[in-house]
Amino acid sequence: MENSSAPSPLQNHSSRFKLSIFTTTPSPKFLKFQNSPLLLLLLLLLSLNSSLGVSDFPQIPYSQYCNDVVSSTPLSQASTPFNATPIFLTLRNAYVHAPVENAGKFKPKTLNFYTQNVYPTKNGKIFKLEGVLRFAGSVGPEFFGDFVHRRQLRLVYNRPPRFPTRGGGGYSREFRVSGFWDSDTGKLCMVGSGMRKLSSVDVVLKLVYLNSSDILHSVVNGTLERIDVNDKNAYTKPVEILGLSLRNYVYTLINKEVENHGFSEYGDWSNVSLGIDNPDRSVCSVISRAGTMEMTYLGNCSNGNCDFLGGNVSKNFRPTTIWFNEIECGDNGRGRFLLSFGDGVSTRPTYLINQTLVAEGKWDEKTKTVDMIGCRIFNGSDAAAEKRFVGDCVVRLSLRLPKQWTLKERSVVVGEIWKRKDSNEKGNYGKVALHSLRNLVNRLDGLTYEYTVIDNVTRSCAKAMSYKGNGGKYPDVHSSDMRFDMMVRNKKKTEIFSYSAPLSVGDKFYRGASDSSVKLNDNQSTAVNVSYVLHFFAPPQFLYSVDHTPMTIEISAEGLYDSRSGHLCMVGCMYFSSRQGISQKNSSLDCEILVNIQYPPLNAKVRTGVRGTIESMRKKSDPLYFEPLELISNSIYTDQARNSIWRMDLEMTMVLISNTLACIFVGLQLFYVKKNPSVLPFISVVMLVVLTLAHMIPLLLNFEALFLVNRKKRNVYFGNDGWVEVNEVLIRIMTMIAFLLEFRLLQLIWSARAGDESPKYSWISDKKVLYLSLPMYICGGLIAYFLHLSRNPHQMKLEYSLHFRYQQQTLWGELKTYAGLILDGFLLPQILFNVFCNTTEKALTPGFYVGTTLVRLVPHVYDLYRAHGNAWSFDYIYGNPKMDYYSTAWDIIICCGGLLLAVLTFLQQRFGGRCFLPSRYRESSTYEKVPVVSTESITEE
């Protein structure tokens, strides 16, 4: 009795909550808040949230929707489920589609279903099931009724939640369902719910799932329907489900066909195929490596010999690809699959039943092949006419793993697909070859490569291979330096990105690391057999003028690499996709390709990069002939990248030191004017403005990055070195300190000149400096601008980024470089000011003008060293050519000019502002102090 009256934990929690609120006397403010609508709204939200948190999905009455399928009235279930696996009743990748009359209103999808709990009943043949119905991907707007409307040219998007929610976009990917299954008839009916934002969606699932099946009776069919629909936009029609049974499946056709030698039409491939270590997983191991397989029609495809779908699709549909969708891997090397056919346009499997076959296969250890039988899946009117869902099992497949790759065959899995003819039919089989994507890395142990065109390479590359190099050291053929990114450029100067990598070196496949086991003697030939892969995506009319669609181009090549000259010469086959306009029987393959690549020396003093060409060896009248393509790459070697990173780290430290010294020198000037305030009016304001702007503008352009490193603008990953990031932040901080110190000095000069004791001619002299220097700066800027315009775009300096896009020096870049030149001559306004004032005041301390001059000149000295060194950097940080004029001539001119300005400043402060001018220009007006008679003395007299 006491236990029955005991409150639940939830009630105890509620009581404590009420007690904590009302044990004290509420204040008038609280009573006013208690009666407000805001409190009512808050309590409503809390109750809604708690109800969603503790309650399960709403229960839908089973008898109302399912008693006509499997009645639950006379049944009584067990209180606890028995130990049943999730595959008691399971669907994997079942097809969900709308009926034919509503096919355009619901996009085809796939779903998975598995059981969670199984309860036996007294009937013995009927079970109560609880399971999950899960869509592959989001359920989508059609089923829930939330459409995204497009009005004219404006598309309204739903803003995603700030935090990720289950199912994404407010839609649940799964429904929890429960119901009854009759193992005698196979009928299953379940009801359940799924969440849609804050409300639920109720569904009814009806299936026919037999207790045992074979390939002809393996289809599980039924419907999924949404009930209690209040949303007028929701799709309310039942959607059809077609899946394959995984319960008590019996392999029948494949065993008989193998026993009757039904796959012997294409001969025995055991001598040229690889085996599988695990026989039980052999069939699925082969299919998993197949992925997407391409179809090549070899001939004799008339009279429907190559129509594997039985005329179920449009006459214009001709399959070019096959996807294998695994259903299950059985024992004894057997398995079941769905074969989806595509036309090469889509890169994903289609969800169309009329383009799909159901198949069962088996691994044949004697022939080392996977043999499969494919059957059509009937749907709609076809299923009603045939009175079955599976039939017409005339498709045969045979897949194998080739033991050896060649120039023309580099697929991990190859095979054939054909149609079996009845005994009373005449004629040969239609031949369609299958091969997986070429040059993939999921290769099996025991695979070798055979060079088949080396003799042709020797003849075609005799002249190119005769070059013995200039004595430099070139990349080792086994090193990772042999692969590179590149740009492919045609005659029209159109450039596209490409990638190239070795496939094999000698008799071994390329691993991308130096192989110390391969040593070459001086007397041994340095020409090594290699095979390569080049891949790029070409825009329309890149190769041929008749091509009006983009196409993917892959070149498989093999040839010779000479490590003494760094030259690689190969003959290759070019594979096309999405080709149009070339009327040749086998237009997707062109094996008349010559590839020449020249690697730069490892110890090169300048950055040249890999250069090469792709040429056609056909006659110009041939429809497959194309103009030579140029290969350009700025990929760097591993050692060069390592040295470049070290140099960039060093240069960043040098920039930090330079900015620190700039702050120290400005600080020395501040201490100097503090002890000698009388010299402040004799410092040029124009000079201080130039120095202040030099530090202020970078801060304004990159203020957000002052304390945060912007990684999005980084093109190179330099590892996880925190010291680089610390340097970046310190550099920006020192730049800000230098700006503040210079601005403080400018403020002191301005205040000193505003005083009554300041000589008035100091402002006049600064105005003269401005009137003279400003036109000089403008004229220099115009000269830089016209030089920029006069340059030929193809002769302009090209900068190559890791994104492999050429970028020419822009006008803004030219102006930034010219601004660096103005900053190098920062003493010029002070020298002009001294000339106009003709003063001997020591306005600048030597530590300031000599030190700042050295800060500006040392980068040019470093650039001279860098230009004549053996190493180069990927990017320049200290002595950046984008921020100043850097070349051998400019470095010498700027260094000499900077030292000259410092010497002139020293002479002016010692001998006068016009000391270096001719004697007739040195004279100036002098002002004498004379006694002034006051008005009071005059009045007294």
Side-chain angles (χ1 to χ4, degrees), residues 154-438:
R154 185 180 180 183
L155 184 62
V156 181
Y157 293 96
N158 178 34
R159 182 179 180 182
R162 189 176 176 185
F163 300 97
T165 58
R166 184 180 182 182
Y171 301 124
S172 172
R173 292 185 179 181
E174 65 180 34
F175 296 87
R176 297 181 183 179
V177 292
S178 63
F180 290 89
W181 173 63
D182 189 341
S183 61
D184 226 3
T185 62
K187 292 183 178 181
L188 169 69
C189 189
M190 307 182 79
V191 295
S193 301
M195 289 300 298
R196 173 187 176 269
K197 297 181 181 178
L198 295 179
S199 61
S200 63
V201 175
D202 303 331
V203 295
V204 176
L205 174 67
K206 298 179 181 179
L207 296 176
V208 177
Y209 202 122
L210 299 179
N211 192 28
S212 61
S213 62
D214 54 22
I215 191 171
L216 297 178
H217 304 88
S218 60
V219 168
V220 177
N221 66 296
T223 60
L224 178 67
E225 182 180 3
R226 179 179 174 180
I227 58 177
D228 295 336
V229 178
N230 296 321
D231 192 342
K232 62 180 181 179
N233 290 326
Y235 180 81
T236 59
K237 301 293 183 181
V239 293
E240 296 181 1
I241 297 176
L242 278 180
L244 295 177
S245 173
L246 296 177
R247 184 170 178 80
N248 300 326
Y249 183 84
V250 180
Y251 292 87
T252 55
L253 295 184
I254 187 64
N255 292 335
K256 294 180 181 179
E257 194 73 11
V258 172
E259 293 174 0
N260 297 332
H261 305 285
F263 298 94
S264 59
E265 286 84 357
Y266 286 90
D268 186 5
W269 299 96
S270 58
N271 295 329
V272 293
S273 300
L274 294 173
I276 301 295
D277 296 333
N278 187 0
D280 289 336
R281 292 284 304 176
S282 55
V283 60
C284 292
S285 176
V286 174
I287 296 303
S288 64
R289 287 177 169 83
T292 302
M293 300 197 72
E294 298 178 356
M295 304 172 62
T296 304
Y297 292 83
L298 303 179
N300 194 29
C301 287
S302 59
N303 299 325
N305 286 341
C306 301
D307 182 11
F308 305 109
L309 300 173
N312 238 2
V313 293
S314 172
K315 294 182 179 179
N316 298 325
F317 179 80
R318 190 184 192 192
T320 58
T321 55
I322 296 181
W323 291 279
F324 291 86
N325 195 344
E326 177 185 323
I327 301 173
E328 69 170 352
C329 288
D331 54 357
N332 298 325
R334 297 177 298 187
R336 302 166 59 203
F337 307 91
L338 286 176
L339 311 183
S340 298
F341 290 80
D343 56 2
V345 177
S346 175
T347 58
R348 296 181 179 181
T350 58
Y351 296 142
L352 300 177
I353 295 178
N354 58 352
Q355 297 180 18
T356 304
L357 300 179
V358 59
E360 60 181 23
K362 184 178 181 180
W363 170 258
D364 191 334
E365 187 64 30
K366 294 182 180 179
T367 60
K368 296 181 180 179
T369 58
V370 172
D371 301 326
M372 304 178 70
I373 294 179
C375 305
R376 287 178 55 194
I377 301 177
F378 302 116
N379 185 32
S381 59
D382 292 337
E386 296 285 340
K387 296 182 180 180
R388 54 180 177 171
F389 287 95
V390 177
D392 197 11
C393 302
V394 297
V395 178
R396 302 292 184 267
L397 289 91
S398 180
L399 305 177
R400 61 187 180 277
L401 303 170
K403 186 183 296 186
Q404 197 171 61
W405 281 9
T406 62
L407 177 64
K408 295 183 179 181
E409 186 53 75
R410 296 184 179 183
S411 299
V412 178
V413 181
V414 298
E416 296 81 22
I417 179 173
W418 69 96
K419 287 181 65 176
R420 186 200 66 184
K421 284 184 176 291
D422 295 334
S423 58
N424 57 351
E425 291 184 280
K426 298 180 180 180
N428 298 323
Y429 294 97
K431 297 181 179 180
V432 179
L434 302 176
H435 55 84
S436 61
L437 298 180
R438 301 173 183 85

Side-chain angles (χ1 to χ4, degrees), residues 464-469 474-475 477 482 520 524-530 559-569 597-599:
M465 299 301 292
S466 62
Y467 174 69
K468 298 302 179 183
Y474 293 91
V477 68
M482 296 298 291
L520 294 176
Q524 189 176 356
S525 174
T526 58
V528 182
N529 295 343
V530 294
L560 299 172
Y561 171 73
D562 191 344
S563 59
R564 292 185 178 179
S565 63
H567 191 81
L568 174 65
C569 187
I597 296 175
Q598 179 62 51
Y599 287 88

Side-chain angles (χ1 to χ4, degrees), residues 53-71:
V54 299
S55 63
D56 204 349
F57 294 122
Q59 298 295 324
I60 301 106
Y62 177 88
S63 59
Q64 181 178 351
Y65 299 99
C66 290
N67 262 353
D68 59 337
V69 181
V70 180
S71 178

Side-chain angles (χ1 to χ4, degrees), residues 784-785 788-789 791 796-797 799 806-817 882:
Y785 173 72
H788 171 79
L789 293 180
R791 289 180 181 178
M796 300 183 75
K797 181 181 179 180
E799 300 173 358
Y806 283 96
Q807 300 173 346
Q808 65 183 21
Q809 185 77 353
T810 61
L811 176 60
W812 173 246
E814 293 282 358
L815 294 179
K816 286 196 301 183
T817 304
K882 299 178 183 179

